[in-house]
Amino acid sequence: MDQAAFIAQYATNRLNTNSLKWDALAERYGDKDLIAMWVADMEFKVPTAVTDALTARVAHGIYGYSYTPDSYYEAFFNWEQDRHGLTLQKDWLRFGTGVVNSLYALVNTYTQPGDGVLILTPVYYPFFNAIQDNHRQLVTSELTNTAGHYTIDFDDVERKIKANEVRLFIQCSPHNPVGRIWTVAEETRLLALCEQYHVLVISDEIHQDIEIDPDDHPFVSALTVADGRFADRVIVVNSPSKTFNVACLLNSHVIIPNDVLRQQYDAFNTRNNQTEVNVLGQTAGEAAYRSGAAWLDQILAIVRANYHYLRTELAAHAPKIVVAELQGTYLTWLDIRGYIAPEYTREFIQAKCGLAVDFGEWFSANDQGFVRLNLATDPKYVQRAVQNIITCLDQLTK
């Protein structure tokens, strides 16, 4: 199927569907008529195989207590092996209702109030919440930004770990919002530091399947680094939600290879989280992992085209906007400080350009003047957003 045909079949208007992204604009931004470029989900229907599997399951008419079938493990494990060379075992896997909810549980399982928890900023803002809401000590190391290419300041990471007696590091891989896929060398050095200082690692790999240029920048799971050398000190959280646009079917994974850590997690959940699996979420996830690869390839092609369009148009008409190098995720990170004073970012982007975006200061206090835009959407929204920015900048200079 060519891209135009795919968009015609799968792109859809989400207004009046209780969509957080579109129908909550008045509540969240004070303007219902903005172009929604914020929440990290898509304007594309799920793979047909997912709809068919859900339709068949709904037709049964009973949604009583269920367990995870072996077929789910098989589909998910084959996906991880085929796409990322990651070999998993059934007893490593636990289920959650979402990665953010799992982060909260993991912080509470493995740390105590007052313990230092490290994150690399700017980063997805629920990371901050999972630490601060649970009264842990927030420790941040700012990524180094060189003309839109972000790198880890390893010396600063080591200083922060030592100075704050960090117990836990929450990694974002691929990194939201700056779009980096960490290299094997970066992952090895980072995980070796955590090993040296006895820091447990939680690796949020929810965007693992969104590779913009997999030949040059392939995703590397923390569990596979150095032939699994660090796996005993790593817990991975991921989900089909970002890959297949099924976030509100509430099905995610917590992967814990280490027996002792897994026992601790189970003990925490016995006391605090007595829930069952989501039968519809797992039905959708299994169908997606079995039959969703071709659909995902189309989505990735659209994201790449949207990114190329945005980058090319802004380079031609607004060259002082710095577009971060997008290697992973479908979220692009723009530095507009070359034109707009940071304190006027919201006024410009929202009031003048008519866009609902995630603002930089949500990801780090140091990043006012940046915005994050979602590219996993119908190209018409990306084109309108980019042209609105160009037009409004042009008006400012006249």
Side-chain angles (χ1 to χ4, degrees):
M1 184 185 302
D2 66 26
Q3 190 171 109
F6 181 88
I7 291 170
Q9 178 175 342
Y10 286 96
T12 190
N13 185 342
R14 298 178 62 192
L15 286 170
N16 303 313
T17 63
N18 300 319
S19 163
L20 177 64
K21 187 176 185 179
W22 290 91
D23 294 326
L25 287 172
E27 177 184 348
R28 295 297 182 99
Y29 290 87
D31 186 346
K32 67 179 179 60
D33 295 320
L34 301 174
I35 301 172
M37 304 290 291
W38 63 302
V39 176
D41 62 11
M42 309 182 195
E43 276 59 65
F44 297 104
K45 297 176 184 178
V46 299
T48 301
V50 172
T51 301
D52 291 345
L54 287 170
T55 300
R57 186 63 184 82
V58 168
H60 181 252
I62 296 176
Y63 316 109
Y65 296 115
S66 303
Y67 63 88
T68 304
D70 287 341
S71 56
Y72 183 95
Y73 292 98
E74 178 187 39
F76 174 48
F77 290 178
N78 286 342
W79 179 271
E80 291 292 331
Q81 181 65 54
D82 293 344
R83 303 287 292 206
H84 307 300
L86 177 58
T87 301
L88 298 174
Q89 298 180 25
K90 183 176 179 179
D91 62 347
W92 295 358
L93 187 59
R94 300 295 182 267
F95 294 96
T97 56
V99 162
V100 171
N101 186 56
S102 295
L103 291 179
Y104 274 71
L106 292 163
V107 166
N108 276 293
T109 299
Y110 300 111
T111 65
Q112 298 297 319
D115 283 349
V117 181
L118 174 69
I119 55 178
L120 305 182
T121 52
V123 75
Y124 183 49
Y125 35 90
F127 282 28
F128 292 85
N129 301 339
I131 297 165
Q132 294 176 308
D133 288 350
N134 289 300
H135 310 292
R136 273 56 174 176
Q137 178 191 358
L138 174 66
V139 182
T140 64
S141 178
E142 196 78 6
L143 296 169
T144 300
N145 179 8
T146 306
H149 177 75
Y150 284 80
T151 53
I152 299 166
D153 185 340
F154 290 101
D155 292 337
D156 186 63
V157 168
E158 184 170 14
R159 283 194 298 270
K160 296 292 178 59
I161 288 174
K162 292 167 65 176
N164 298 281
E165 297 183 349
V166 166
R167 297 285 306 279
L168 180 67
F169 167 51
I170 306 178
Q171 171 176 250
C172 196
S173 176
H175 195 93
N176 170 14
V178 308
R180 277 299 315 281
I181 289 180
W182 307 119
T183 65
V184 172
E186 287 170 316
E187 281 283 276
T188 301
R189 187 172 177 184
L190 191 56
L191 294 174
L193 274 175
C194 291
E195 179 184 62
Q196 179 181 350
Y197 293 102
H198 309 290
V199 176
L200 181 65
V201 177
I202 299 170
S203 189
D204 175 357
E205 301 181 358
I206 195 170
H207 292 277
Q208 63 174 9
D209 298 313
I210 315 301
E211 300 168 290
I212 303 305
D213 185 359
D215 291 333
D216 288 339
H217 304 291
F219 167 73
V220 179
S221 174
L223 291 176
T224 66
V225 173
D227 295 324
R229 166 185 155 189
F230 305 103
D232 263 354
R233 299 200 59 82
V234 171
I235 296 169
V236 162
V237 288
N238 65 21
S239 170
S241 60
K242 299 301 182 200
T243 304
F244 297 108
N245 205 27
V246 290
C248 257
L249 288 178
L250 304 182
N251 173 51
S252 66
H253 312 125
V254 181
I255 303 167
I256 313 175
N258 181 274
D259 292 340
V260 174
L261 293 176
R262 196 165 58 250
Q263 290 166 11
Q264 290 175 306
Y265 185 73
D266 289 344
F268 174 85
N269 281 309
T270 296
R271 297 190 303 271
N272 297 284
N273 192 27
Q274 289 285 347
T275 60
E276 304 295 332
V277 297
N278 185 317
V279 64
L280 295 183
Q282 295 203 337
T283 297
E286 179 179 340
Y289 287 128
R290 286 193 184 282
S291 305
W295 177 94
L296 177 60
D297 289 342
Q298 293 276 9
I299 293 294
L300 291 174
I302 291 168
V303 172
R304 292 176 188 124
N306 283 341
Y307 175 63
H308 177 75
Y309 172 85
L310 175 141
R311 195 176 184 100
T312 302
E313 286 292 296
L314 292 181
H317 301 288
K320 289 191 286 186
I321 292 180
V322 180
V323 182
E325 178 186 2
L326 184 60
Q327 299 174 354
T329 83
Y330 49 67
L331 308 163
T332 189
W333 183 241
L334 308 183
D335 178 357
I336 66 171
R337 295 174 300 172
Y339 294 101
I340 306 297
E343 61 270 25
Y344 295 111
T345 302
R346 182 183 289 268
E347 178 182 340
F348 175 75
I349 287 291
Q350 183 174 322
K352 294 187 181 298
C353 299
L355 308 181
V357 304
D358 284 30
F359 292 99
E361 60 269 27
W362 299 359
F363 302 87
S364 169
N366 298 323
D367 284 276
Q368 190 175 34
F370 291 74
V371 296
R372 191 194 78 175
L373 277 66
N374 183 346
L375 299 179
T377 190
D378 192 317
K380 68 182 181 183
Y381 295 125
V382 176
Q383 292 162 14
R384 286 169 55 192
V386 170
Q387 293 307 316
N388 284 4
I389 292 172
I390 292 170
T391 298
C392 291
L393 285 176
D394 187 55
Q395 291 171 351
L396 287 179
T397 61
K398 288 183 177 179

